[in-house]
């Protein structure tokens, strides 16, 4: 390929002239110097059309003459790139720059970080008559001589106003110091209670001076990864949060005069030499044993003393921590019992809640359509037929209520088929009902009662049909307060927990409302049984 020369054409950057065509100068009055900004008799093409892998150097020639006043930046900076990139890509060309006076601040200092060969190319033999005008201590210094006089480099700085923290009484001063690759943010002795939330944008590392303030806690900030020094001396620091891991191992954190009781576990991701604790220590106890192990493993150079022992390093405390080891063994033994205890509790809970699990499964499982077609009656009522109060309640209250709601009922003493045993009637009729209502009363399930066996059988069969999804719901009504042990008490409690129980003597809620809630859908019978159902309803 041919050779190419960089040119800037009327403010357009990154254009190239093919075949090293000649260029001419044009006055650039804004900056008071002449700058090559046109290409003559050449084919100018954009950078992206150049086969870049074959391009090694750029040629960049600048001539500046008759400069009046002070130049506050290097002419090359008009290209809008940083010095490192310019030195990398513009490796040829020359600069003629006669009798200029520099404002030798941070902008000029950027060039002082170059290798001498690059500096000499940019600001070399043709600059022997160029000197500093500002600041006052550098006035008259030759630029080339200043490069080697490192004792004066600290004067080449700039005040940074944009983004410099100033919140309430916490007012900071920000200074750009390119020679040390630093942005210095000085917030010392300003009654600051927190680290700044925002800092100026910079490509340099941050030096944050916060000594002599009121900071108690160090919490996460987005710029932690760019901090190279954080001075928190003379602050009552009590805690670091886990964001301490966002610092790098190149940072220096000075926290003398702290009030720390411990450190976050995340500091183990850092080198312990990041921290300068001074003479203030932390308590040496079993909880902080890991801190000594971390510092010993990573060979900490800066001391961290035990605050509860005189002149004892926390690393040395490890060898005298036999009590901690015995406590740890005890804790390990106790911790090993936790899973076993949880397992035993779960087994006990599952055993006691096994009926609740069955009820819950039955409520959410669908009922087979063939089983629904076998239903002929809405409600099977199980009760103590020998108890006159209960008997009157069934016929005068419950049955009449159900008939008003067009719900058919089965009552054994009234509807059982003649010629069949009690067991046969219970099985046949309970299997053909949609719901079962169990009206429990005192001594209903006592074994010395005549109908006790039938009532027990009704309860057990109703529960089995319900949990096997052959019965829609089982509803238990407690008629009176029984002092004897309840029959199938755990199953009854499980039904109560899922709203399938009611106490007559508890008047907080209407019985009729509860019945409508449980038996909310009358059975739609097939044609074969419609007449039989109507005859039963009209008979009463």
């Amino acid at each position: 390929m041919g050779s190419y020369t960089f040119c800037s054409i009327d403010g357009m950057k990154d254009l190239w002239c093919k075949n090293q065509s000649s260029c001419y100068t044009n006055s650039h009055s804004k900056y008071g110097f002449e700058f090559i900004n046109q290409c003559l008799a050449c084919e100018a093409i954009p950078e992206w059309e150049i086969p870049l892998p074959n391009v090694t150097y750029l040629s960049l020639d600048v001539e500046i003459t008759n400069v009046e006043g002070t130049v506050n930046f290097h002419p090359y900076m008009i290209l809008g790139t940083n010095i490192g990139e310019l030195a990398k890509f513009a490796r040829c060309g020359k600069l003629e720059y006669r009798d200029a006076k520099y404002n030798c601040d941070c902008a000029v200092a950027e060039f002082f970080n170059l290798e001498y060969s690059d500096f000499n190319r940019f600001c070399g033999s043709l600059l022997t008559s160029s000197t500093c005008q500002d600041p006052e201590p550098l006035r008259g210094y030759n630029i080339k001589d200043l490069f080697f006089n490192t004792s004066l480099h600290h004067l080449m700085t700039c005040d940074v106003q944009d983004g410099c923290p100033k919140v309430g009484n916490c007012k900071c001063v920000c200074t750009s110091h390119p020679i040390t690759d630093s942005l210095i943010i000085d917030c010392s002795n300003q009654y600051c209670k927190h680290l700044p939330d925002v800092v100026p944008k910079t490509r340099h590392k941050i030096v944050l001076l916060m000594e002599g303030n009121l900071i108690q806690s160090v919490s996460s900030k987005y710029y932690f990864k760019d901090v190279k020094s954080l001075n928190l001396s003379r602050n009552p620091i009590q805690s670091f949060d886990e964001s301490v891991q966002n610092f790098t191992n190149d940072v220096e954190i000075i926290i003398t005069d702290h009030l720390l009781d411990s450190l976050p576990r995340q500091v183990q991701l850092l080198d312990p030499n990041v921290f300068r604790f001074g003479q203030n220590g932390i308590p040496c106890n079993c909880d902080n044993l890991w801190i000594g192990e971390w510092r010993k493993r990573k060979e900490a150079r800066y001391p961290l003393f035990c605050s509860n022992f005189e002149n004892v390093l926390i690393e040395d405390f490890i060898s005298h921590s036999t009590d901690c080891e015995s406590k740890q063994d005890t804790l390990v033994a106790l911790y090993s019992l936790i899973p076993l205890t949880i397992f035993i509790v779960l087994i006990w809970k599952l055993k006691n809640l096994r009926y609740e699990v069955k009820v819950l499964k039955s409520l959410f499982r669908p009922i087979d359509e063939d089983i629904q077609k076998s239903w002929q009656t809405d409600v099977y009522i199980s009760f103590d037929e020998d108890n006159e109060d209960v008997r009157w309640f069934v016929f005068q209250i419950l049955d009449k209520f159900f008939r008003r709601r067009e719900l058919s009922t089965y009552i054994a003493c009234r509807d059982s088929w003649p010629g069949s045993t009690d067991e046969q009637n219970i099985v046949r009729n309970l299997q053909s009902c949609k719901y079962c209502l169990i009206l429990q009363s005192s001594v209903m399930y006592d074994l010395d009662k005549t109908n006790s066996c039938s009532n027990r059988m009704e309860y057990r069969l109703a529960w089995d049909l319900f949990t096997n999804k052959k019965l829609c719901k089982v509803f238990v009504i407690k008629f009176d307060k029984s002092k004897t042990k309840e029959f199938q008490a755990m199953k009854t409690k499980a039904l109560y927990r899922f709203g399938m129980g009611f106490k007559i003597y508890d008047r907080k809620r209407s019985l009729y409302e509860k019945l409508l809630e449980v038996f909310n859908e009358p059975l739609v019978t097939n044609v074969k049984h419609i007449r039989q159902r109507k005859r039963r309803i009209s008979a009463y």
Side-chain angles (χ1 to χ4, degrees):
M1 59 169 285
S3 60
Y4 294 81
T5 302
F6 175 88
C7 288
S8 174
I9 301 179
D10 293 334
M12 296 176 61
K13 299 177 181 179
D14 300 335
L15 295 181
W16 304 66
C17 273
K18 194 172 184 180
N19 299 325
Q20 294 184 342
S21 298
S22 61
C23 298
Y24 70 93
T25 63
N26 189 20
S27 175
H28 202 303
S29 59
K30 179 178 178 181
Y31 301 108
F33 56 82
E34 295 179 345
F35 184 73
I36 297 174
N37 67 348
Q38 293 266 347
C39 287
L40 180 64
C42 74
E43 180 184 357
I45 59 177
E47 180 183 357
W48 56 82
E49 295 182 8
I50 301 295
L52 290 180
N54 295 324
V55 175
T56 303
Y57 304 115
L58 310 184
S59 176
L60 191 61
D61 295 344
V62 175
E63 179 182 353
I64 301 174
T65 57
N66 302 321
V67 178
E68 296 180 3
T70 302
V71 179
N72 58 1
F73 61 91
H74 195 286
Y76 282 177
M77 290 184 177
I78 196 173
L79 299 175
T81 186
N82 66 58
I83 302 304
E85 293 296 309
L86 189 62
K88 179 179 178 181
F89 293 109
R91 296 187 175 180
C92 58
K94 64 181 180 179
L95 170 69
E96 275 194 57
Y97 192 46
R98 303 186 182 94
D99 300 324
K101 295 185 183 299
Y102 275 111
N103 180 4
C104 295
D105 59 6
C106 62
V108 173
E110 295 283 355
F111 287 86
F112 282 37
N113 285 319
L114 295 173
E115 295 292 334
Y116 179 72
S117 58
D118 291 325
F119 172 81
N120 188 55
R121 180 162 52 85
F122 283 129
C123 312
S125 58
L126 298 178
L127 290 175
T128 53
S129 60
S130 296
T131 59
C132 293
Q133 178 68 19
D134 293 307
E136 173 66 27
L138 299 180
R139 184 170 297 172
Y141 270 89
N142 180 272
I143 298 297
K144 189 172 182 180
D145 294 339
L146 184 59
F147 180 88
F148 294 103
N149 192 343
T150 56
S151 64
L152 299 176
H153 288 181
H154 69 280
L155 300 173
M156 303 175 70
T157 62
C158 294
D159 290 337
V160 179
Q161 298 295 330
D162 189 15
C164 193
K166 288 178 173 61
V167 179
N169 292 327
C170 186
K171 294 179 172 58
C172 307
V173 176
C174 301
T175 307
S176 178
H177 201 287
I179 292 296
T180 58
D181 187 29
S182 302
L183 171 67
I184 301 172
I185 304 173
D186 189 352
C187 308
S188 303
N189 306 306
Q190 295 295 309
Y191 302 98
C192 303
K193 295 182 178 180
H194 307 283
L195 297 183
D197 291 326
V198 178
V199 298
K201 291 183 178 179
T202 179
R203 61 185 182 84
H204 299 299
K205 292 296 182 180
I206 296 171
V207 176
L208 188 55
L209 306 177
M210 301 296 301
E211 62 265 38
N213 284 295
L214 306 173
I215 301 172
Q216 296 183 7
S217 177
V218 178
S219 55
S220 177
K221 303 298 177 187
Y222 70 92
Y223 53 81
F224 276 1
K225 59 181 174 43
D226 298 317
V227 174
K228 74 173 182 178
S229 180
L230 173 60
N231 192 334
L232 290 167
S233 59
R234 294 186 290 115
N235 278 276
I237 302 295
Q238 297 179 15
S239 65
F240 280 81
D241 68 14
E242 63 276 3
S243 65
V244 69
Q245 64 184 342
N246 295 331
F247 288 104
T248 68
N249 282 328
D250 296 326
V251 71
E252 175 189 63
I253 302 176
I254 303 172
I255 49 174
T256 56
D257 311 300
H258 67 84
L259 301 176
L260 291 168
D261 287 330
S262 187
L263 293 172
R265 291 271 180 175
Q266 287 76 7
V267 299
Q268 295 179 94
L269 300 174
L270 296 175
D271 190 304
N273 296 303
V274 162
F275 299 93
R276 311 287 193 275
F277 294 101
Q279 294 299 310
N280 280 25
I282 63 172
C284 288
N285 51 41
C286 298
D287 292 335
N288 289 336
L289 196 63
W290 65 270
I291 298 177
E293 294 172 347
W294 161 63
R295 290 174 54 81
K296 187 173 184 178
R297 183 178 66 255
K298 293 198 173 182
E299 299 179 350
R301 297 190 304 274
Y302 303 106
L304 175 58
F305 293 100
C306 297
S307 60
N308 49 342
F309 297 102
E310 188 174 354
N311 295 326
V312 176
L313 296 175
I314 193 169
E315 294 93 319
D316 298 334
F317 173 73
I318 299 174
S319 58
H320 304 291
S321 58
T322 54
D323 291 341
C324 293
E325 294 176 0
S326 61
K327 289 179 181 179
Q328 286 180 344
D329 292 339
T330 304
L331 288 175
V332 169
L334 289 175
Y335 290 151
S336 63
L337 292 175
I338 291 176
L340 179 61
T341 304
I342 293 174
F343 178 75
I344 293 173
V345 170
L346 286 175
I347 293 298
W348 180 81
K349 281 287 187 183
L350 289 174
K351 182 180 179 181
N352 285 274
L353 297 176
R354 62 187 183 277
Y355 296 117
E356 280 80 359
V357 174
K358 288 186 177 182
V359 172
L360 189 62
K361 288 173 61 178
S362 299
L363 289 174
F364 287 97
R365 282 173 54 195
I367 299 176
D368 188 86
E369 291 184 1
D370 292 334
I371 293 174
Q372 295 183 42
K373 290 177 181 179
S374 69
W375 291 338
Q376 300 173 16
T377 308
D378 287 292
V379 185
Y380 184 108
I381 302 178
S382 171
F383 64 100
D384 185 3
E385 297 175 1
D386 297 333
N387 189 322
E388 292 184 4
D389 293 336
V390 174
R391 187 184 180 92
W392 180 89
F393 181 77
V394 170
F395 283 100
Q396 298 302 319
I397 303 297
L398 293 179
D399 190 51
K400 288 183 178 181
F401 172 79
F402 287 134
R403 279 190 289 164
R404 287 195 302 271
R405 295 296 175 178
E406 297 186 353
L407 288 160
S408 60
T409 59
Y410 173 85
I411 301 174
C413 59
R414 181 192 69 187
D415 301 320
S416 60
W417 297 98
S420 300
T421 63
D422 290 343
E423 290 79 6
Q424 289 173 334
N425 273 308
I426 291 171
V427 173
R428 183 187 301 117
N429 290 286
L430 194 50
Q431 287 179 339
S432 63
C433 288
K434 181 178 181 181
Y435 303 103
C436 179
L437 187 151
I438 301 174
L439 185 62
Q440 294 182 339
S441 57
S442 301
V443 305
M444 176 178 174
Y445 297 107
D446 288 355
L447 293 175
D448 57 351
K449 284 183 59 63
T450 306
N451 295 320
S452 173
C453 292
S454 298
N455 294 140
R456 287 171 175 263
M457 182 177 178
E458 286 170 336
Y459 193 109
R460 289 193 177 99
L461 182 59
W463 174 268
D464 291 339
L465 291 173
F466 171 60
T467 54
N468 291 321
K469 295 309 294 178
K470 295 180 180 179
L471 192 67
C472 187
K473 286 181 182 178
V474 176
F475 184 58
V476 178
I477 297 178
K478 196 168 184 180
F479 187 78
D480 52 25
K481 294 183 179 180
S482 176
K483 295 182 179 180
T484 59
K485 186 176 181 181
E486 294 182 358
F487 176 69
Q488 300 289 308
M490 294 182 67
K491 294 180 181 177
T492 303
K493 288 180 181 178
L495 292 171
Y496 267 85
R497 285 194 178 99
F498 288 94
M500 290 183 285
F502 189 85
K503 297 176 181 179
I504 294 292
Y505 49 85
D506 185 359
R507 292 300 181 182
K508 294 181 180 179
R509 187 173 182 184
S510 168
L511 172 62
Y512 295 133
E513 290 179 0
K514 188 64 178 179
L515 291 172
L516 288 175
E517 179 186 314
V518 178
F519 308 109
N520 53 355
E521 297 181 6
L523 177 62
V524 180
T525 60
N526 54 46
V527 177
K528 179 179 178 181
H529 301 287
I530 288 177
R531 292 175 184 171
Q532 179 184 358
R533 183 167 181 270
K534 285 184 177 180
R535 283 199 300 270
R536 289 182 178 178
I537 294 174
S538 62
Y540 294 94

